[in-house]
Amino acid sequence: MVRWLPVTLLCLVTLILAACSGATPDGTADPEVTATTTAAPSTAVAPEESPRAGAPPEDATDGESEYAPPAPTAMPSTGPRERVELVVTGDLASAFDLLRQVGAEIEVHAGDRIQALVPEARIGALERSPLVEVERPGIVVPLQTGTTALEIMGADRWHAAGFTGHGVKVAILDRGFNGYLDAMGTTLPANVTVQSFRADASVGAATDHGLRVAEIVHRVAPGAQLYLVNFDTVTELSAAVDYLIEQEVAVVSFSLGYIHNGPGDGTGAVNEIVSRGTAAGQSWAVASGNWAEQHWAGPFRDTDGDSVHEFDSGSQQIGHHFNAGDLILVSLRWDDEWGAACSDYDIEVFGPGGALVGASRDIQDCEGDPVEDLQVLATEAGTYRLRIIEAHAEGTRQLDLMVVGSPDRGHPLEFAVAGGSLAEPADHPGVVTVGALGNISDGLLMEADFSSRGPTLDGRPKPNVLAPTGLCCGDPSIVASQADAFAGTSAAAPHVAGGLALLSEAFPGSTRSELTGRLLNRSVAAQPIAEGSLLARIANLGSLFGLGPLLPEDAASAMLLPELPATEGLAVLLYRGPDQYPLRFVHLLTDGRTPATVFRLDTSNQRFLAWIRGAPPWVSDFDAIPEGEVIIMRFDAPAP
């Protein structure tokens, strides 16, 4: 039967197709039907082929892209150089002239930010100039502690109903994607879009953190179009976000956390960059951080007048265990004016034997941020202790202390205070901040002990939702041992990003606030464990009621015979499978290719019925395929 149908039916439909040429009932051309697909399928770019950091997309107009930095200046012939991030506060052209005068090599330019390699001896000239502000970007740390249970989120039910995130662009913004080429076609889609904004253009960047995040997104939303985008500095992040806005990415997964990059109220350099993305309609799923047990906060206290802070027990030192070879990251922030701090505090770190191993004694004299930080290599295992010294202060200041390690082994800080332990940009009011669920022994009803939480400086509760993470959900098909698990809030955030992609497919055209609102409204209550987390809910996609038509039972047996055309054109096909297969999910039968138009013959009325991709329901004549029906599909040319 299939062999003669192409001849007879093609004769009948050729005139119809030529006449309508993708026209809608009102006679106007439907661009979804008539236009050849112009978006290229996601293609992997090998690391050595990745565009230089900050380079514009290939179709960008010369001179119009803000991603491309000016031509690199000549590299100074002698002397050490330091990578510096600058915010332009004066005339942009004059700022470029200044950088050339000091022998800087400009690496990235994005908006009002410039990243450059500057001779160390000339940094002072930049600090004194009114044209630029030398910025302290803060410490950024991958939020991983150590895969998933789709059942907790209800994603397994949504997959069975046909939702995969098909057609939704999801970006993973991370430090590196080492090993992504080997993962394509297995734990990643066969095609992905890759873009590096690092100064060295390395996609792998010697870390697989971003790859592991991307694998979780793909597991939750296997039909989503993935963008793997990496960066290293805040300026490179700025350029990356501009690129994602241009690419019309709908969902961003961000599993990195900055320590004290802002005052903790959702502002600061990184949060300002994120705001550009959310203002463009992007929905961000951001890891809250893993530092609830490595954080202390409280007022400065000095009962004996020696200018050394006394912690809760009266001790002047606070301890944290580190292994030999760990990088110790210490950051102190206090409640002074951001960018114009007049109070001044110092920090000192002592090794297991009591010797001073590091100190930060920057001078705050009503310039700069109210932050002191330092990094020290642990040369031996044991408890490292630190103390806070008040050099000068006006009144009693509230202190916020973070002491973490790289790698982050999760050892608790003595006298830890969980409240206010959020990373940036998890304090941003427009993102979905994602905390981690506790493990199975906790009943999956509350936040994990290590998961960072609010309140923010301006009193907002965070995180917004809690999500599965690594070992909490015990999926033996994914991880064979505890050592192989990928956990922490780094794993929680991409679960929510994948969930947002599923919701975006189910509710096309939703705004950012509508999409995130649906996620939060569908999530289920969790048991509160501390002030600042009282409104956190367990991420869940909720009921499928009202989202029909959905896939029928035994949809996995559905098929189209014989084969699809390799290029654009018509195909006459026989559908075999469960009755009334929804055309909204026809891409599941066509290897991801969605036909522009589907026709079937209404023999009772001797006319052809049409379904048009992307058209409102009232435009199409039918929305499902009966069992045994012969249909005609028109395909656009596949993208090269």
Side-chain angles (χ1 to χ4, degrees), residues 17-41:
L17 295 177
C20 69
S21 186
T24 58
D26 63 1
T28 60
D30 183 345
E32 283 287 346
V33 176
T34 60
T36 300
T37 302
T38 57

Side-chain angles (χ1 to χ4, degrees), residues 343-425:
S343 296
D344 189 4
Y345 293 89
D346 300 327
I347 48 179
E348 298 177 339
V349 179
F350 302 88
L356 180 68
V357 297
S360 178
R361 300 188 179 98
D362 293 341
I363 297 174
Q364 284 80 28
D365 53 359
C366 300
E367 294 183 0
D369 299 329
V371 173
E372 289 277 347
D373 62 25
L374 80 159
Q375 302 181 22
V376 179
L377 183 67
T379 58
E380 59 179 314
T383 298
Y384 287 73
R385 311 193 72 83
L386 65 93
R387 67 178 185 174
I388 300 170
I389 301 169
E390 183 182 79
H392 167 73
E394 298 176 357
T396 300
R397 295 294 182 180
Q398 292 288 325
L399 308 180
D400 190 277
L401 176 69
M402 202 81 76
V403 185
V404 301
S406 181
D408 185 357
R409 305 182 189 278
H411 295 306
L413 177 68
E414 190 177 13
F415 316 130
V417 175
S421 56
L422 291 170
E424 284 91 16

Side-chain angles (χ1 to χ4, degrees), residues 143-145 147 152-153 216 253-256 284-292 418 421-423 425-427 431-439 444-454 461-470 472-473 486-497 519-520 523-524 526-527 529 532-540:
L143 298 175
Q144 168 192 359
T145 62
T147 277
I152 295 172
M153 294 181 60
I216 293 176
S253 182
F254 195 82
S255 288
L256 301 173
W284 282 59
V286 176
S288 68
N290 303 325
W291 304 323
S421 56
L422 291 170
D427 60 339
V431 306
V432 179
T433 301
V434 187
L437 282 170
N439 60 37
L444 292 174
L445 295 175
M446 59 173 52
E447 196 167 7
D449 291 340
F450 64 81
S451 184
S452 293
R453 60 204 65 142
K462 287 275 188 174
N464 302 105
V465 293
L466 308 176
T469 170
C472 80
C473 311
F486 179 72
T489 55
S490 276
H495 281 90
V496 171
L519 174 73
L520 298 178
S523 298
V524 299
Q527 294 180 7
I529 61 173
S533 301
L534 298 180
L535 299 183
R537 300 170 65 83
I538 300 173
N540 192 285

Side-chain angles (χ1 to χ4, degrees), residues 64-352:
E64 294 182 354
S65 172
E66 65 177 334
Y67 307 118
T73 54
M75 207 177 289
S77 57
T78 60
R81 295 177 302 149
E82 182 178 336
R83 177 168 285 121
V84 174
E85 296 189 67
L86 308 165
V87 177
V88 178
T89 55
D91 177 67
L92 182 61
S94 299
F96 286 143
D97 289 341
L98 172 65
L99 289 170
R100 282 187 280 268
Q101 292 169 13
V102 300
E105 178 192 3
I106 300 172
E107 295 183 314
V108 181
H109 167 225
D112 63 348
R113 302 184 66 90
I114 299 174
Q115 177 177 307
L117 293 174
V118 182
E120 289 184 356
R122 306 305 301 277
I123 293 177
L126 298 181
E127 292 175 333
R128 293 187 295 271
S129 172
L131 296 173
V132 295
E133 177 182 327
V134 179
E135 185 172 88
R136 178 198 155 280
I139 303 169
V140 61
V141 182
L143 298 175
Q144 168 192 359
T145 62
T147 277
T148 121
L150 300 181
E151 296 83 358
I152 295 172
M153 294 181 60
D156 58 328
R157 295 182 292 105
W158 281 58
H159 291 174
F163 296 108
T164 62
H166 176 71
V168 181
K169 295 181 179 181
V170 181
I172 294 86
L173 263 179
D174 214 283
R175 303 297 293 274
F177 299 91
N178 196 35
Y180 80 93
L181 288 171
D182 294 334
M184 290 171 58
T186 55
T187 56
L188 288 182
N191 297 299
V192 298
T193 298
V194 178
Q195 179 87 356
S196 177
F197 284 90
R198 287 174 53 96
D200 60 7
S202 172
V203 175
T207 176
D208 66 352
H209 185 269
L211 168 63
R212 306 297 289 275
V213 172
E215 289 173 329
I216 293 176
V217 173
H218 180 55
R219 200 171 300 132
V220 178
Q225 181 180 349
L226 298 191
Y227 285 69
L228 310 185
V229 180
N230 73 323
F231 68 97
D232 186 43
T233 66
V234 175
T235 300
E236 292 165 2
L237 171 63
S238 180
V241 170
D242 288 340
Y243 166 76
L244 295 181
I245 293 171
E246 182 181 83
Q247 295 297 308
E248 298 182 342
V249 166
V251 178
V252 177
S253 182
F254 195 82
S255 288
L256 301 173
Y258 285 83
I259 300 176
H260 296 162
N261 182 264
D265 60 357
T267 63
V270 170
N271 277 313
E272 289 173 3
I273 294 168
V274 173
S275 290
R276 294 208 306 272
T278 57
Q282 295 170 350
S283 297
W284 282 59
V286 176
S288 68
N290 303 325
W291 304 323
E293 297 179 303
Q294 302 178 78
H295 168 261
W296 179 89
F300 180 83
R301 182 170 60 182
D302 178 21
T303 60
D304 58 6
D306 63 354
S307 299
V308 179
H309 173 66
E310 299 162 7
F311 290 93
D312 292 359
S313 68
S315 171
Q316 291 186 331
Q317 295 185 344
I318 190 169
H320 191 299
H321 180 86
F322 292 98
N323 291 3
D326 288 353
L327 182 63
I328 303 171
L329 310 174
V330 181
S331 184
L332 174 68
R333 178 179 64 194
W334 55 95
D335 62 336
D336 205 339
E337 184 176 353
W338 201 257
C342 294
S343 296
D344 189 4
Y345 293 89
D346 300 327
I347 48 179
E348 298 177 339
V349 179
F350 302 88

Side-chain angles (χ1 to χ4, degrees), residues 6 9-24 33-34 568-572 595-600 608-612 631-636:
L9 290 178
L10 282 175
C11 291
L12 290 172
V13 302
T14 299
L15 291 177
I16 297 174
L17 295 177
C20 69
S21 186
T24 58
V33 176
T34 60
E568 77 275 18
L570 298 172
V572 180
T597 320
V598 179
F599 296 91
R600 73 180 181 91
F608 279 94
L609 306 178
W611 173 85
I612 302 173
I631 58 175
I632 304 163
M633 291 185 174
R634 183 170 72 83
F635 287 92
D636 293 332

